[in-house]
Amino acid sequence: MDRFDLMGALPPEASTTVLEASAGTGKTFALAGLVTRYLAETGATLDEMLLITFNRNASRELRDRVRDQIVKAIAALAGRVPPGSDLVAHLVGVDAGERALRRARLRDALANFDAATIATTHEFCGAVLKSLGV
């Protein structure tokens, strides 16, 4: 199994990334960072992503962490605060035009944050069944 590098190349479009590790190893941080990178660096939107966790507490924490990461990145991209992490420094380390584009993408994502599917396996399956009229 390959070691996951948050600052490395993004996984290909329409692929699945599984982060498997013990408790307390940074899976939630890595997933929030990966989502933020996809939103900032590509044309991907939150409604095109599916983030699944195993329990309700974890899905609430993931939702909070993704939102917080987006807010921090927007502030740094706007020049209001210095980058507070390697991830945000990575996002900011581009020319002014690309920074403005990344900031706009993240602001749009934040405005449409409720479209994000961040759920437990059971919540997601229940939503699919309900959408099918079952």
Side-chain angles (χ1 to χ4, degrees):
M1 194 177 316
D2 295 332
R3 183 171 167 23
F4 181 74
D5 179 11
L6 186 57
M7 302 313 145
L10 288 172
E13 186 176 327
S15 66
T16 300
T17 300
V18 176
L19 298 175
E20 183 180 22
S22 301
T25 57
K27 293 180 300 293
T28 302
F29 173 82
L31 192 51
L34 189 59
V35 168
T36 304
R37 280 197 62 201
Y38 265 108
L39 295 171
E41 296 178 24
T42 71
T45 59
L46 278 172
D47 63 330
E48 297 172 325
M49 297 182 192
L50 173 62
L51 287 79
I52 298 291
T53 62
F54 289 102
N55 64 53
R56 288 188 181 140
N57 288 338
S59 68
R60 278 191 295 273
E61 180 182 358
L62 181 56
R63 180 173 289 278
D64 291 344
R65 291 249 194 121
V66 169
R67 182 186 294 271
D68 185 54
Q69 187 66 59
I70 292 170
V71 168
K72 288 177 180 176
I74 290 170
L77 287 164
R80 293 192 308 262
V81 298
S85 68
D86 290 343
L87 170 67
V88 177
H90 171 83
L91 293 175
V92 172
V94 293
D95 65 63
E98 182 65 20
R99 267 194 311 275
L101 179 59
R102 289 177 178 189
R103 189 170 127 238
R105 287 174 177 158
L106 290 174
R107 282 185 17 220
D108 289 347
L110 193 57
N112 297 309
F113 195 78
D114 290 339
T117 304
I118 303 173
T120 66
T121 305
H122 289 92
E123 289 168 339
F124 173 68
C125 291
V128 169
L129 291 173
K130 185 176 180 181
S131 74
L132 295 173
V134 176

